[in-house]
């Protein structure tokens, strides 16, 4: 059975995309820790990050770094955090989050029901910042 992320990638479930290329996607978390919280997900369904091949891992982290630069430009946080947990969905994914402290990476603080218009505004902000840093994988929507 396909993971929820595979279903999102295949267009079966909605998501607010900021990045798309032939190897991975980036979309906003539906339970954001902070505005702009983006998930970077390989198109290929791999349950555990240790099973991702080195070339694919390099691509995922390069995309996460590009999105991180955009988040830094868009939100001016103290840092942009990168987190890999993998317990929520059995499909490798990287959390890229603008943070001002360690508490900003605590899933207990996630917004359980964000306003869709707020998510879309955040996505527009991230897409604009991605374009400003010269990114090539910016999603149309």
């Amino acid at each position: 059975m396909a993971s929820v992320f595979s279903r999102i990638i295949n267009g079966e479930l909605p998501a607010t995309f900021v990045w798309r290329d032939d190897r991975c996607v980036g979309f906003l978390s539906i339970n954001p820790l902070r505005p702009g919280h983006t998930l970077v997900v390989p198109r290929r369904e791999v349950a555990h990050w240790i099973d991702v091949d080195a070339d694919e891992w390099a691509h995922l982290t390069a995309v996460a770094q590009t999105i991180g630069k955009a988040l830094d430009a868009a939100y001016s946080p103290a840092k942009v955090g990168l987190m890999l947990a993998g317990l929520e969905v059995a499909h490798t994914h990287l959390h890229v989050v603008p943070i001002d402290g360690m508490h900003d990476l605590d899933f207990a603080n996630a917004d359980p029901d964000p306003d869709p218009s707020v998510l879309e505004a955040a996505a527009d902000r991230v897409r604009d910042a991605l374009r400003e840093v010269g990114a090539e994988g910016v999603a149309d929507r």
Side-chain angles (χ1 to χ4, degrees), residues 85-140:
L87 296 173
E88 324 85 88
V89 177
H91 188 145
T92 297
H93 56 288
L94 306 174
H95 295 263
V96 188
V97 186
I99 62 172
D100 291 318
M102 289 301 295
H103 62 280
D104 292 330
L105 293 175
D106 184 344
F107 285 109
N109 298 325
D111 185 344
D113 190 27
D115 182 321
S117 66
V118 172
L119 284 178
E120 194 54 51
D124 286 340
R125 192 170 178 177
V126 174
R127 288 184 207 108
D128 288 345
L130 281 166
R131 288 183 192 97
E132 287 179 24
V133 299
E136 295 182 13
V138 184
D140 292 329

Side-chain angles (χ1 to χ4, degrees), residues 7-26:
R7 295 181 65 207
I8 288 169
I9 292 166
N10 293 332
E12 298 169 24
L13 295 173
T16 308
F17 286 89
V18 298
W19 183 275
R20 292 179 206 256
D21 68 28
D22 61 335
R23 300 176 73 186
C24 71
V25 299

Side-chain angles (χ1 to χ4, degrees), residues 1 7 19 21-22 26 28 31 34-35 38 44 46 51 65 71 80-81 88 94 96 108 112 126 128 134 136:
M1 179 177 211
R7 295 181 65 207
W19 183 275
D21 68 28
D22 61 335
L28 296 189
N31 299 118
R34 296 283 306 262
T38 302
R44 188 171 73 91
V46 181
D51 296 322
Q65 186 175 43
L71 292 174
V80 175
E88 324 85 88
L94 306 174
V96 188
V126 174
D128 288 345
E136 295 182 13

Side-chain angles (χ1 to χ4, degrees), residues 28-75:
L28 296 189
S29 173
I30 60 167
N31 299 118
L33 296 171
R34 296 283 306 262
H37 176 180
T38 302
L39 304 178
V40 177
V41 183
R43 288 183 180 273
R44 188 171 73 91
E45 192 170 310
V46 181
H48 199 308
W49 71 272
I50 63 174
D51 296 322
V52 174
D53 67 60
D55 184 55
E56 188 173 26
W57 182 253
H59 182 74
L60 292 173
T61 57
V63 169
Q65 186 175 43
T66 299
I67 290 171
K69 289 176 183 178
L71 292 174
D72 190 53
Y75 292 99

